[in-house]
Amino acid sequence: MRSILRLIRTTALITTLSIAGVSQVAAQAVETDTLNISIGPDLPFLVHIVAKEKGFFAEAGFKNVEFKTFASGNLAGEALLADQIQLWTPGNLPPVSMAHNGVPVVVLGTNAVSHGLEKIVVRADAGVDNPEDLYKTKLGLLVSSTSGALLTNLAKHYGLDATKIQTVNLAPPEAMAAMANNEIQGIIFWEPFPYRAVKEQAAKIVHTGTKSFFAKNNGEDVPVSNNRTVWVASQDWVKANPNAANALVKSLLKAQAYVVDPAHKDEVLKIYSEVQKQPIEMNQALLDNYIFNPKVDQAYVDDMAAIADYLQATNRIQGEKKDILTYTYTEPMKAFDPALVQIEGQWQP
């Protein structure tokens, strides 16, 4: 009799545990198995491509993953809000601007820190040797991007009047063509466009976001960039798909960890270059421009706050600035690795 009772209790316990296990799995199942992700031609998207090619997205439950490209960051941002894409990875200026102006976006983490990524590149015959020589040029850039912030910071550092430096609002391909035709004399863009300008047009780099190559202070460290690419989602999508949002962040973090492992360097560069149909030697030369570090820490807060300060100073934030952390969501990252969250975000779905 005792044996029968013990068997009944054991069976009941196993059944209870099984039901609990099923419930837990069901609770964590992604609400959608489809992801649309915007990508561009530059190496920050190494993480996204590796996540797909190595099966990290599939392991998380995303059976259908499609990459989409857009002519501009503004179009990608609009697509995010229209739920045409679920992940946008721009430089930090556009989402900071959107968040501070009431657009419902949320930052899920940093994709890559890239302070040295953007570069001022000029024609060899432009006569630009020192900062004040920039007054003689027309520079192509996307004014609404982090490149505009870099130019403003550079002008402030060297005591230049930024309003007297002529700029032309151009996308990278058009700017490259315009510089080749001497319609403009320089560009301020992120890689791989500076690399191509040097290789294809014999142009020269006079400054990066972290270092000067002007004659007066050649080789000096001059930090004038707060650029980092960040993972951005719409607040509505995260609220409607909390498990999918968690799974998305987990997949990206796994890919980041894979990418930064030196043992995988050759493999990930080969994967990326083949998918993007780019020369692997170019990507080998440019990889060191990126620090794939997702942490939400004081450096994250400082970079984001500096961008917000720039936007307010240029009248592109209406009303008061927000606390950066009010549109930063750290719970998915914390669940993956608590050490990655040194300062907790305040946004909640």
Side-chain angles (χ1 to χ4, degrees), residues 37-51:
I37 298 172
S38 70
I39 68 167
D42 40 338
L43 273 164
F45 301 101
L46 177 66
V47 172
H48 309 64
I49 288 172
V50 166

Side-chain angles (χ1 to χ4, degrees), residues 146-174:
T146 49
S147 298
L150 182 150
L151 181 59
T152 298
N153 291 341
L154 180 139
K156 182 179 180 180
H157 178 84
Y158 290 106
L160 303 178
D161 183 348
T163 65
K164 293 183 179 179
I165 301 175
Q166 299 180 72
T167 60
V168 183
N169 193 32
L170 293 171
E174 289 75 25

Side-chain angles (χ1 to χ4, degrees), residues 22-341:
V22 170
S23 299
Q24 185 177 13
V25 170
Q28 294 177 347
V30 292
E31 299 85 356
T32 175
D33 64 1
T34 299
L35 279 179
N36 294 294
I37 298 172
S38 70
I39 68 167
D42 40 338
L43 273 164
F45 301 101
L46 177 66
V47 172
H48 309 64
I49 288 172
V50 166
K52 182 178 181 180
E53 296 298 314
K54 295 297 294 184
F56 299 149
F57 286 137
E59 289 170 9
F62 300 112
K63 298 178 182 178
N64 306 299
V65 179
E66 183 179 347
F67 293 142
K68 296 186 176 182
T69 59
F70 295 87
S72 71
N74 289 337
L75 292 176
E78 292 172 7
L80 184 82
L81 297 174
D83 202 31
Q84 295 169 3
I85 58 173
Q86 288 72 54
L87 179 69
W88 180 32
T89 309
N92 49 349
L93 188 148
V96 170
S97 176
M98 293 167 75
H100 283 259
N101 285 298
V103 181
V105 295
V106 60
V107 177
L108 304 174
T110 292
N111 182 65
V113 180
S114 43
H115 293 169
L117 175 66
E118 290 172 302
K119 300 175 175 69
I120 302 178
V121 185
V122 298
R123 289 172 56 98
D125 60 2
V128 177
D129 297 310
N130 283 303
E132 56 273 17
D133 294 328
L134 292 174
Y135 289 136
K136 302 183 296 186
T137 67
K138 287 183 181 179
L139 300 174
L141 73 159
L142 285 172
V143 177
S144 62
S145 72
T146 49
S147 298
L150 182 150
L151 181 59
T152 298
N153 291 341
L154 180 139
K156 182 179 180 180
H157 178 84
Y158 290 106
L160 303 178
D161 183 348
T163 65
K164 293 183 179 179
I165 301 175
Q166 299 180 72
T167 60
V168 183
N169 193 32
L170 293 171
E174 289 75 25
M176 293 283 285
M179 186 166 69
N181 294 328
N182 203 21
E183 296 165 5
I184 60 175
Q185 290 70 53
I187 58 173
I188 309 177
F189 285 119
W190 49 91
E191 294 291 3
F193 301 103
Y195 177 93
R196 287 182 49 204
V198 170
K199 291 288 186 181
E200 297 168 12
Q201 300 187 29
K204 67 175 183 177
I205 297 169
V206 294
H207 216 287
T208 75
T210 58
K211 190 177 289 291
S212 170
F213 296 98
F214 290 129
K216 64 185 289 183
N217 62 339
N218 189 12
E220 179 182 330
D221 290 335
V222 182
V224 291
S225 172
N226 302 102
N227 184 28
R228 55 176 63 215
T229 56
V230 290
W231 297 321
V232 182
S234 78
Q235 293 183 10
D236 290 343
W237 184 80
V238 175
K239 290 175 182 177
N241 303 276
N243 297 335
N246 290 342
L248 171 60
V249 172
K250 179 180 178 180
S251 302
L252 293 168
L253 291 171
K254 286 179 67 175
Q256 260 190 344
Y258 197 88
V259 162
V260 299
D261 187 336
H264 302 146
K265 181 177 180 179
D266 291 343
E267 178 195 4
V268 299
L269 282 171
K270 184 175 184 292
I271 290 172
Y272 178 84
S273 300
E274 289 179 352
V275 170
Q276 294 280 52
K277 297 180 173 57
Q278 294 176 349
I280 194 168
E281 61 271 14
M282 177 182 78
N283 292 322
Q284 287 172 331
L286 297 179
L287 185 59
D288 288 343
N289 283 264
Y290 305 87
I291 301 171
F292 294 99
N293 181 352
K295 284 185 180 179
V296 176
D297 54 11
Q298 192 59 49
Y300 165 83
V301 173
D302 290 346
D303 278 344
M304 300 290 276
I307 292 295
D309 289 343
Y310 163 74
L311 290 168
Q312 186 175 56
T314 53
N315 299 314
R316 289 157 66 186
I317 289 178
Q318 305 300 318
E320 295 184 6
K321 288 185 303 179
K322 295 181 179 180
D323 185 333
I324 301 303
L325 297 172
T326 60
Y327 52 89
T328 301
Y329 181 37
T330 53
E331 290 304 315
M333 190 186 303
K334 188 176 180 180
F336 181 84
D337 182 357
L340 297 176
V341 181

